Every structure is written in structure tokens, then in C-alpha cells.
Amino acid sequence: METGTLLAQRYRIDAKLGEGGMGVVYKAHDTLLDRAVAIKTLTPHLLGDEGLKRLLREAQSSARLTHPNIVAIYDVIDDRDARLIVMEYVAGHTLRDRLPLPWAEAVEIATQVCAALDYAHTQGVVHRDIKPENIIITSDGTAKVMDFGLARSEGRSRLTQTGMIVGTVAYMAPEQALSGQVDGRSDLYSLGAVLYEAITGKPPFQADDPISVISMHVNVPPVSPRFYTPEIPTVLESVLVRLLAKDPTERYASAEEVARVLRSALAPVESGDDAALAVEARPAMPSLFEMMTHGRLIDREEELASLKNSLESMLSARGQVLLVAGEPGIGKTRLAEELLVYARLRGCLAVVGRCYEQEVSIPYLPLSEALRTAVRSIPGDRLTALAGVHGAELVKLVPELAQRIPGLTPSPPLEPEQERLRLYESVTAFLGGLGRAQPLVLMLDDLHWADAATLHLLRHLARHIRAERLLILGTYRDVEVDRTHPLSSVLSEMNRERLYLRVLVRGLTPPHVAAMIQSIFQTRQPVSDEMRDLIYRETEGNPFFVEEVLKHLVEAGAMYIEEGRWGRKPVQEIDVPQSIREVIGRRLERVSEVCLRVLSLGAVIGRRFRFEVLQAVGELREEELLDAVEEATRALLIREERDAGAVEYDFAHALIREVLYERLSLRRRMTLHQKVGETLEQQYAGRLESVVEDLAHHFTRAPQGEGLEKAIRYSLEAASK
């Protein structure tokens, strides 16, 4: 658009200010009101007609926002092929031009952005694209947020035809990226990402492509901001961690609440109290573990491409079973999770069911877990239609269906083999119906621990989903599947019928081990060939082993940080354990005696365990147990997770639990299993049916005698259930 052009017989173009993803921004003069304005063009060929209509509706909605920290929208006009938004002209620089900032200045700007967000959210307007480019800082330090409501995209798929992500992924909340469903808490996540970068100079997540960045938003915790900026107050670090919570319910409820907490971080600075500032602004440095990042995929492009090709085929109604195989710790689950992110971006419903070693006797457990997740995502009226005549069978795997679909009539009894086939056909029909309504990815993790019933149902599904929009994604340890393993015979039968595709995951090459070391330590420092080769030689490129060895070396003082750079002892002085179990064992030896005892109790309880059960079994004081759990969490041996309002703990990897469990003598295991069983009886008195499988598991492994009667009784009840 040329200088001097008059638009709508009113706006004279004076200069081009910049160019963005949606169009060009110009400075113009409003000849009617004699004032400077900014004009943003929206081009149809970039957004599509429907996208333009939605954006214009959003602009009209946002035009009612009047706030000192919001760039006002004045007008929406047509000009031949383009639509233009006329807005307040603000002289200043974007926050992008100012990064990084001293933490106090960054907090002051974030507090003003909170004021803008709180006002907009109370008016029912969500921004959807908070980023440094959309925050303008005037000469007097006022922060103004622009482009309210202009980042909304059309359709379920979060990917364009060319595979690009709609929106700015570096600051995008997980739920916004995966489903497009946003509220004010999504803006707060984006603000947290912006504030993190303003303070540290780095966005919380960086990767080579947009999908990998989104995957990290979904799956990977951010590095402690104090790693990059040690002087920030403890309260500010806590704010950032909470703003960047994966689950929206764990973030702050409102922008006003965030502003209030941020002001408390600024209080010592504003008071000028040097003593208070010294105490508050200089907390202890985070542990070296907090500086290490985890979960970024290295050297998996070929495997991921194969998974994506299968997904694209499924979207064209060519369903299939895809199995990811490899040794323990090789990254099977992480690779599968990357595909799940991609699937959700492509508009799929993705659900996960997991198999657990201690629950191998529970039939259909992973299918039940996955189906329950799917059912929770379906509205009531649609669920009734999808379940149809199969609801009476499905309720055996998803008891919640009885509450969601009133009046379900139980199926008449049949001979066992016929009854089993009826269940298989009902599950197949239900999953097929789900896939026709919305493409479905069903992930079954750790199939080497699956029960025989689940494996037979998997085989049945594989035979009947070839024309469905359903992709079954399984993972298993190939080194544990010998000729006697139940999975072995099922795989053989499926292979004869060409019912599945296998993706084999192997160890990293030496150069990629070096790349992984750089990624974990968030550094561009080159890794010497001798260090790279030492780690590779002892780990054979197994990513989990590489990560555990690096943690061991940090704990042992063989690797350290000095003046902001990573250092290490000479290679000849570095002792690397010879096996993954040995390195885990050495790491366990460094935790306190109480922490090790608590971890051992957790290993007996299972892969996941609750605080209350742990406390009752261990007979520990609450404060003592909290200290032990926090120590284990800091050592990255367990993770703290929220489930249905309760706090649960999950071992960081199945191998950690296995090592802990194997270190216990047989007699001690039996005694602890009995104690766990008795604790569950007490804590779930009156509702034992909800944990009857766990009771059967623990009493089956308890000493014979009085435990035998309970083992039989609970096993029969579990089988009946």
C-alpha cells in the first residue's frame, strides 16, 4: 500500500510500521478526527474467508475494551481484497525489542499486562496470543497489549494444510495448542512464558520445529528460571512455575490474583530495604538437577516420520496397529507421546491406557483406562448414540457408563467363549464409531506387562479396524518377549496376517549422545570427543541410561557448573557405572535412609502411590514423610502429580521401581505387601470394590496363612468385577 493512499475516504497511509503473520501494519492519519492511527491488514489468501469472518467478529467484540493498558480498536474497514482493522497508534517499542530485562522491570510490565488481561477477561474476551510482539512499551514505561481476540483459528485441526501451527507456539498453552479450547487461564500460561523469557533471555521451551515445541509444552517441565537468573526472588520463581502448569486448574484463577502476587515480589525493591532484598531476592541456587532439562527428542526423525505416515493413512480410513519396540529406557513412550501431540494437532482424539507389572493379572486394564478417558470426553447425548446397543457390554470395562446412560439393560448370559466374543465385538464397534465421529488414536503402553485378555482383544481389533479411522499405538520391550511370553504368540499370529507395523527404536549414535548432553545441560558448549565416547561406550546410546549417568556424575561431583559454564573432571578420573541398574543403585545410595525406606515402600505399593497410603504403611510422621518425598522429588526419582484432586507420586521410570523392589528380600516384600493390603482395607472400608484388584495383588504376594484366605476372596471378587 503506497504512502498517501486514502482508505474509506478517511485514513491516509503515512508509513509502513512492520509486517506480521496476518498482514502489514501501517501508520496512518485519521483525517476526520485529526489523530494518528495504526492500520493492520488481514489478507484473505492467508486466513481464508471463514477465518476472516471470525477474526472480524472478534475485532468487533474487542472494540468495546477501553483500558489504559490495552491498544484500542477504532474501526473495521474493507479495501478491495483486504480487510483492515484501525486501532490506536502507540509510540514506543515492543517488548521483543527490550528483551531481556532486569527482573524487577519485567515484573512491573507483567503486572500491567495482568491489569489488561483481568479487565478483558471480565468482559468475556480472551487474547489467545500473548507474546512479546503484542506488548508495546511506551516512553514513560506504560505497557499496552494489542491484538486482543485476533488469534482465533478455524476448525478442529491445529495444523494448516502445509503443516504449520496456527498461533505462536513458543508461548501457547498446552490446551490451546491441542484442542483450541481456551479461557483466561490460557492467557496466563502465555504470560508466564513471556515473563520467563523476559527474565531469563530464553523462552521456556526451544526446539527445531513447532510440533516439538508444543510437545515440550505438553510433556516437559521448564528449567528453573534461577538457573539463568539466580537473583530472582523465591516468590517470583513460584509464580512462574504455577503460571506454566500443564493443567489449567493448577494455574492462578485470575490475572488479578497474579498481579497481587507479583506486587509482593516487587515490595522489597519498592521499599528500598536492602536487608529484605538480600534475603528475598537471593534464595539458594537451585540444585543441579533443576538445571537439567529432560524429555527433548534427539535423533528420532526417521521413527517419528514413520509414525506420522501411519497416522496420515489412518485419517484416510486405513486403520492399523503400530507397535514401537525397543529395550528398557530407549525412549519408546516418549516417542509415542510425540505422536500423540501431533495427532491432537491433526484433530484426533488421543487416549492412553497403561499396563503395569504388578497389575498383570487384571484383565483389560489398559483398555478400560483408555475407554474411560474417551467416555469422559463425550457429551451425554452423543455418548448414548455412540454406545448404542453395545452399552450393556461396555459397562463391564467402563462402569461410569451406568451413570452416564440410565436404563442400561444387562446382556443375557452366554457360554464363556460367546460372551467373550460379544465383548470384543462391542468394543470394536464402539471404537469404530468413535473413530468415524473423530479420528481416534488409542495408545497402549508397556504391552510386555499386558494380561492375556487384553492381548487377545488387541488381536481381534487388529483384524477389524482396517477400514476405520482408528490407530492403535502400542509400546513394548522386545528384549523381554521370549517364546514363552504371551505377547510373543499374539505377535506371531498378527505378523502372519500382516496386522501390524513395527517401529524399532535403537540407541543413539555418538554424535547424538553429544547432542543429548548439550540439550540436557542447556548449553552450546561443545562436548569433547573423549567425554562423548566415554558416555556412549558405557550406555550404548540408551537415552535413559545417558540421562541417569549424567545425574550420577552431577551427584558425584564429576560434573559441575562454574561461572555459568558446565565443567567436569578429567575423563580418566570419571567413574561410570557399568549397567543401568548399577547407576540407579548408586543414585539411591546417596539419598537419606528415610528417603530410601519411603521409596522402597512406594515400590511395593506400585508404580503410582498416594501419600496417605505411604504414611500409613510406613508409620511415619507427616513432616518426616514430606521431607523424604520432597528429597526423592528433587533427586528426580519420583514425580508429583495431581489426580482427581488428590496428590499421587509416580516413579520417574519403571526401572527405578524395579531396582528398588529387587533390592528387598523376598520375606520383606511379602511382609510389606500384607501391610499395604491391610492399609487399603482400612482406608477404603465401605468401598473396597474400588480397590479390589489392588487387594488381590497385595494379598496374593503376602505370607501364606491368614493372607491366603483374603487372596482367594479378593481375587474372586476382582474376577467377578
Side-chain angles (χ1 to χ4, degrees):
M1 198 176 297
E2 295 181 3
T3 301
T5 301
L6 191 66
L7 301 174
Q9 299 181 335
R10 175 175 178 178
Y11 303 107
R12 186 189 67 237
I13 300 298
D14 289 344
K16 180 178 176 180
L17 294 176
E19 193 163 353
M22 289 188 292
V24 184
V25 181
Y26 298 93
K27 181 180 179 182
H29 185 76
D30 182 346
T31 58
L32 181 63
L33 298 180
D34 191 25
R35 64 181 177 183
V37 295
I39 295 182
K40 172 172 283 194
T41 66
L42 304 175
T43 50
H45 74 275
L46 289 177
L47 299 170
D49 290 339
E50 286 304 313
L52 270 176
K53 291 177 183 177
R54 174 64 65 84
L55 284 169
L56 292 175
R57 286 199 298 272
E58 293 294 329
Q60 292 163 352
S61 175
S62 302
R64 69 175 185 267
L65 301 178
T66 304
H67 190 276
N69 296 114
I70 294 178
V71 176
I73 293 178
Y74 295 147
D75 199 0
V76 177
I77 59 176
D78 292 331
D79 180 61
R80 297 182 294 277
D81 292 336
R83 304 294 184 274
L84 304 102
I85 296 179
V86 183
M87 52 190 147
E88 175 188 2
Y89 171 72
V90 180
H93 299 279
T94 68
L95 179 58
R96 169 67 65 204
D97 299 327
R98 302 276 302 277
L99 298 182
L101 292 169
W103 71 263
E105 188 176 346
V107 168
E108 174 56 40
I109 290 171
T111 304
Q112 295 185 57
V113 173
C114 282
L117 292 176
D118 186 59
Y119 171 76
H121 293 166
T122 59
Q123 301 298 310
V125 178
V126 179
H127 191 286
R128 301 186 181 90
D129 197 20
I130 293 293
K131 58 185 178 183
E133 290 81 359
N134 279 338
I135 300 170
I136 300 176
I137 313 300
T138 67
S139 57
D140 65 357
T142 300
K144 284 181 169 280
V145 183
M146 64 184 294
D147 282 2
F148 261 93
L150 300 186
R152 186 162 185 167
S153 63
E154 289 294 327
R156 281 190 170 276
S157 176
R158 313 301 299 154
L159 295 178
T160 66
Q161 293 296 322
T162 58
M164 294 299 292
I165 311 295
V166 178
T168 311
V169 299
Y171 314 98
M172 189 178 291
E175 69 276 8
Q176 181 178 357
L178 296 182
S179 68
Q181 301 300 313
V182 302
D183 59 21
R185 295 169 299 183
S186 306
D187 280 348
L188 297 185
Y189 183 97
S190 299
L191 174 61
V194 169
L195 182 56
Y196 186 104
E197 183 175 6
I199 290 170
T200 67
K202 298 174 181 286
F205 304 109
Q206 294 175 288
D208 298 329
D209 67 274
I211 294 175
S212 294
V213 175
I214 290 176
S215 179
M216 295 174 80
H217 279 299
V218 174
N219 296 307
V220 179
V223 176
S224 166
R226 284 190 287 139
F227 172 48
Y228 305 111
T229 313
E231 67 272 15
I232 67 171
T234 305
V235 64
L236 179 53
E237 181 188 35
S238 300
V239 171
L240 286 169
V241 169
R242 188 168 173 187
L243 285 172
L244 293 172
K246 312 296 184 189
D247 184 348
T249 62
E250 295 181 11
R251 299 174 206 150
Y252 293 95
S254 68
E256 191 278 330
E257 184 181 1
V258 178
R260 188 168 61 249
V261 181
L262 287 176
R263 281 192 289 269
S264 70
L266 287 174
V269 179
E270 294 170 348
S271 69
D273 186 340
D274 292 338
L277 179 59
V279 171
E280 179 61 19
R282 296 187 182 276
M285 276 292 292
S287 73
L288 294 181
F289 283 136
E290 293 177 272
M291 302 175 186
M292 299 169 69
T293 58
H294 316 278
R296 180 176 173 181
L297 277 180
I298 302 290
D299 186 34
R300 293 293 182 242
E301 292 83 4
E302 185 177 336
E303 294 90 341
L304 191 57
S306 178
L307 298 184
K308 288 180 179 178
N309 286 339
S310 293
L311 178 76
E312 295 299 329
S313 294
M314 178 272 285
L315 294 176
S316 301
R318 292 194 293 273
Q320 61 181 290
V321 175
L322 193 59
L323 298 180
V324 180
E327 66 184 49
I330 205 69
K332 303 178 296 296
T333 300
R334 183 65 187 87
L335 179 64
E337 288 173 345
E338 195 86 356
L339 181 69
L340 293 187
V341 170
Y342 180 78
R344 288 167 178 145
L345 292 171
R346 294 289 281 121
C348 301
L349 172 64
V351 294
V352 180
R354 291 186 167 85
C355 309
Y356 300 96
E357 183 180 19
Q358 71 274 18
E359 295 171 349
V360 70
S361 59
I362 305 174
Y364 308 117
L365 177 66
L367 266 302
S368 175
E369 183 180 332
L371 286 171
R372 286 179 171 186
T373 303
V375 164
R376 284 196 294 268
S377 70
I378 303 171
D381 53 345
R382 187 161 154 254
L383 178 62
T384 302
L386 281 171
V389 296
H390 305 291
E393 285 298 306
L394 294 172
V395 76
K396 297 175 182 177
L397 300 183
V398 190
E400 294 90 338
L401 277 176
Q403 285 77 45
R404 296 285 307 278
I405 306 177
L408 278 179
T409 304
S411 303
L414 298 172
E415 292 297 317
E417 186 62 24
Q418 293 176 309
E419 196 155 334
R420 180 173 63 85
L421 183 60
R422 183 173 62 189
L423 175 64
Y424 286 8
E425 291 175 345
S426 295
V427 171
T428 303
F430 180 64
L431 291 175
L434 279 178
R436 288 187 288 276
Q438 181 182 357
L440 175 64
V441 178
L442 170 64
M443 176 180 166
L444 302 175
D445 200 20
D446 288 333
L447 282 170
H448 51 277
W449 286 327
D451 61 284
T454 293
L455 296 175
H456 292 147
L457 178 50
L458 172 63
R459 182 181 58 199
H460 181 89
L461 287 168
R463 288 170 173 160
H464 296 88
I465 65 170
R466 299 186 191 188
E468 302 289 356
R469 293 200 301 174
L470 170 60
L471 177 66
I472 299 177
L473 174 65
T475 69
Y476 71 96
R477 298 179 184 175
D478 55 353
V479 295
E480 297 191 11
V481 181
D482 58 23
R483 290 187 301 107
T484 64
H485 197 288
L487 180 57
S488 179
S489 59
V490 171
L491 290 180
S492 295
E493 292 175 24
M494 291 172 61
N495 187 50
R496 281 196 297 271
E497 300 178 53
R498 301 294 186 266
L499 294 178
Y500 76 95
L501 175 67
R502 187 174 78 149
V503 175
L504 198 58
V505 185
R506 289 302 183 224
L508 305 177
T509 63
H512 288 109
V513 167
M516 183 174 179
I517 294 172
Q518 287 182 307
S519 174
I520 286 176
F521 287 130
Q522 288 287 287
T523 179
R524 294 185 179 179
Q525 290 174 234
V527 178
S528 69
D529 290 351
E530 58 177 356
M531 184 64 181
R532 175 200 70 189
D533 293 342
L534 172 68
I535 300 297
Y536 175 77
R537 185 170 61 249
E538 301 300 342
T539 65
E540 297 183 343
N542 182 300
F544 177 68
F545 197 178
V546 171
E547 188 172 310
E548 289 299 300
V549 164
L550 293 176
K551 292 176 188 174
H552 160 72
L553 295 180
V554 167
E555 286 181 320
M559 298 189 74
Y560 47 83
I561 192 167
E562 192 172 67
E563 297 180 355
R565 291 175 61 84
W566 285 96
R568 60 171 173 80
K569 290 181 177 179
V571 166
Q572 57 270 26
E573 296 180 20
I574 296 178
D575 175 29
V576 177
Q578 301 298 305
S579 72
I580 186 62
R581 280 176 163 75
E582 183 184 350
V583 73
I584 293 173
R586 290 202 195 182
R587 293 193 57 222
L588 291 171
E589 289 168 5
R590 293 193 184 94
V591 300
S592 68
E593 187 177 335
V594 174
C595 181
L596 182 59
R597 178 186 167 199
V598 166
L599 288 171
S600 299
L601 292 175
V604 173
I605 296 171
R607 177 77 186 266
R608 294 173 71 93
F609 49 91
R610 293 199 172 189
F611 187 90
E612 295 76 16
V613 176
L614 201 59
Q615 185 177 16
V617 174
E619 299 178 353
L620 294 166
R621 292 182 292 106
E622 183 172 359
E623 194 64 32
E624 187 179 18
L625 181 56
L626 279 172
D627 289 342
V629 165
E630 288 170 358
E631 180 184 353
T633 304
R634 286 193 301 271
L636 301 182
L637 295 166
I638 61 174
R639 294 182 294 250
E640 187 177 66
E641 298 181 358
R642 186 182 299 273
D643 181 55
V647 175
E648 287 193 343
Y649 299 93
D650 187 11
F651 284 101
H653 195 278
L655 283 172
I656 296 174
R657 178 191 169 270
E658 289 174 32
V659 171
L660 283 160
Y661 192 77
E662 290 166 2
R663 288 161 64 108
L664 297 171
S665 67
L666 179 59
R667 181 66 195 182
R668 185 171 295 278
R669 288 185 214 166
M670 295 169 67
T671 301
L672 289 174
H673 275 298
Q674 178 163 339
K675 200 165 186 179
V676 172
E678 292 170 348
T679 298
L680 292 176
E681 284 181 317
Q682 295 168 7
Q683 294 198 348
Y684 288 85
R687 51 194 179 100
L688 291 181
E689 69 282 351
S690 63
V691 291
V692 69
E693 301 94 334
D694 296 318
L695 291 168
H697 165 74
H698 289 295
F699 282 113
T700 299
R701 286 155 181 78
Q704 299 303 303
E706 65 177 71
L708 179 60
E709 184 274 329
K710 290 184 177 181
I712 295 171
R713 173 158 52 90
Y714 289 129
S715 293
L716 289 171
E717 290 179 15
S720 176
K721 178 181 174 180

